[in-house]
Amino acid sequence: MSRSALIDNVTAMLSDAGFTVSDRCSTRPKSFDIAARREHDLILVKILGNVDAFDGPTGREMRRLGTYLRGTPIVIGLRTRDENLDPGVVYFRHGVPVLNPDTAMDLFVHGVPPLIYAAPGGLYVNIDGDVLADEREERGWSLGRLASELGVSRRTVSKYEDGMNASVEVAAHLDELFDQDLTSPVSVMDGAEEIRDADPTPEDPDVDPEDRPIVSLLTRIGFEVHPTVRAPFKAVSQEPEGTETLITGHSAFTDAAVKRARIMGSLREVIHTRSVYFVDEAGSESVAGTAIIERDEAAAVEDSEELRDLIRARGGSPEA
C-alpha cells in the first residue's frame, strides 16, 4: 500500500469514528500528517509505511506540539524493518506511541484500547496490582505460594502488586490462575504516561535567525513563543494564563504562503486555536480562516488583546 493510500485510509477511519479531521499537511518537512479531534480528544497523527523512518527530531517536535496544543501525538504505521507491527500492541518511537491500523481501528472506532506494549526485552502488560493482591489474599496464598506458581521470586510478585508491569507470558499465567483478567489498558490517549513520565517534554529548538523579528514581536506583547522546525507553521505562541494560543507563519505572500495559510486554517478549526500569517505585503486579509497581517501593521500592535482583535477581524474565531 502506498503512503498516500494509507493516509487516505486512516483519515476515513478517523472520520467514521466521529473525529473532525484536518486537511493533510502537505508541506515539507512535516512532523505530522493530520490533526483530528473528537470532543475533548485531539490527536496529531504521523502516518508511515515503515515506522523506522520516524526519527528523533520529529518525535521531539511532535511531543512538544502535543504539550503546547493539549493533544496526543501518535504514529500509525504498518511495519518496522521487515516485520509487520502486531495488532493490539502499542510500540514506542522516541516517546511517541505507535499503532498499526488495526490497533487504531479497535481504539478509535470500537473503543477497545490495547493491552500490550512493546519495550526492550519483549511484550508487556500493565498489571492491576491492587486486584492481584486482593485475589491472592482471598485465596489465602502467600507471596511465596504465588511466586512458586509463576516460577518467579517472591520479591518479583511483591513488585507486581506494587504496580510493576509483567511480561505477556506472566500475565496470561495470572489470568489462568485466578480465572479473570488482571490487566489494564495502555493509556494511549493520555500520552502513555508511564513512558512519558520518564522522558520529559523536550526543550524548544533555537530560534531561527529569520524568525527572530516575529518571535520578538509576539514576546513583546505578552506571548510565550515555542518555535517549530517541521510543522506547517513557524511557532505555537501562548499567553501565560492560557487564554490564547496562536499558530503563526511568516514569509512573502507567495503561492507557497497561501498553501501554508490554508493548511493552518484547517488545523485551526480542529486544534481550536487562532492562526495568523505575517507577510511583507498582503494580497488579501485572510486565507481559509488564517488572518493575513502585514509586518508593519503588526509592529504597531501594543498588546495581545489588540492582536486578538485584529486576528478576529481578519480570520474569525475558532470553534469552541
Side-chain angles (χ1 to χ4, degrees):
M1 180 186 299
S2 69
R3 183 165 178 271
S4 180
L6 180 59
I7 292 174
D8 289 343
N9 287 350
V10 170
T11 298
M13 179 269 292
L14 291 172
S15 296
D16 290 344
F19 282 83
T20 300
V21 185
S22 73
D23 293 344
R24 180 176 173 179
C25 300
S26 54
T27 57
R28 291 183 180 274
K30 53 187 173 182
S31 50
F32 63 95
D33 292 294
I34 54 174
R37 179 182 289 278
R38 183 173 61 187
E39 297 180 348
H40 298 297
D41 289 332
L42 171 67
I43 54 175
L44 306 174
V45 189
K46 184 74 172 178
I47 304 165
L48 296 165
N50 188 331
V51 300
D52 291 333
F54 187 69
D55 59 18
T58 303
R60 289 191 289 273
E61 176 145 300
M62 283 190 70
R63 291 179 55 210
R64 287 193 297 267
L65 292 173
T67 298
Y68 305 143
L69 299 175
R70 296 179 293 279
T72 300
I74 293 176
V75 176
I76 297 178
L78 298 176
R79 62 188 181 278
T80 174
R81 299 183 182 90
D82 298 323
E83 298 178 349
N84 291 332
L85 299 181
D86 290 329
V89 178
V90 180
Y91 300 81
F92 290 91
R93 289 291 185 276
H94 310 293
V96 176
V98 178
L99 317 176
N100 85 353
D102 290 338
T103 309
M105 174 80 78
D106 286 341
L107 175 62
F108 297 124
V109 176
H110 303 301
V112 179
L115 297 176
I116 302 170
Y117 70 92
L123 301 178
Y124 298 87
V125 297
N126 300 320
I127 296 294
D128 190 324
D130 291 336
V131 173
L132 175 59
D134 289 344
E135 289 294 322
R136 176 181 62 77
E137 291 170 0
E138 186 173 326
R139 291 197 176 197
W141 286 11
S142 66
L143 289 172
R145 167 70 187 277
L146 181 54
S148 178
E149 294 283 350
L150 294 174
V152 299
S153 69
R154 184 179 181 279
R155 184 166 180 266
T156 297
V157 171
S158 180
K159 286 185 176 181
Y160 290 153
E161 294 187 355
D162 286 340
M164 184 178 79
N165 296 332
S167 69
V168 170
E169 293 77 15
V170 167
H173 198 171
L174 284 170
D175 289 348
E176 291 175 2
L177 286 173
F178 295 105
D179 195 26
Q180 69 166 301
D181 187 359
L182 299 176
T183 60
S184 56
V186 181
S187 55
V188 176
M189 291 306 294
D190 294 326
E193 292 162 341
E194 68 275 7
I195 301 297
R196 291 290 191 81
D197 287 348
D199 193 6
T201 302
E203 294 183 359
D204 287 339
D206 294 334
V207 178
D208 191 288
E210 71 173 18
D211 299 336
R212 286 174 185 161
I214 296 300
V215 171
S216 296
L217 162 68
L218 293 169
T219 301
R220 172 178 62 80
I221 62 176
F223 284 92
E224 182 177 344
V225 183
H226 304 289
T228 66
V229 178
R230 291 168 164 76
F233 39 85
K234 288 283 190 177
V236 177
S237 301
Q238 300 171 305
E239 286 187 300
E241 299 81 9
T243 56
E244 190 72 69
T245 300
L246 308 176
I247 53 175
T248 61
H250 63 88
S251 70
F253 193 73
T254 61
D255 289 344
V258 170
K259 180 180 180 179
R260 284 184 176 271
R262 287 189 183 281
I263 293 171
M264 289 168 59
S266 175
L267 291 171
R268 152 191 175 273
E269 292 292 338
V270 173
I271 295 172
H272 293 177
T273 183
R274 300 186 195 275
S275 59
V276 56
Y277 206 97
F278 298 100
V279 298
D280 294 325
E281 185 174 350
S284 64
E285 289 195 343
S286 68
V287 173
T290 295
I292 307 298
I293 300 176
E294 293 185 354
R295 294 173 190 265
D296 290 344
E297 186 178 20
V301 171
E302 295 184 355
D303 54 38
S304 60
E305 183 176 358
E306 185 177 347
L307 180 62
R308 282 200 305 270
D309 291 343
L310 186 56
I311 294 171
R312 188 180 298 112
R314 299 283 173 85
S317 300
E319 294 183 2

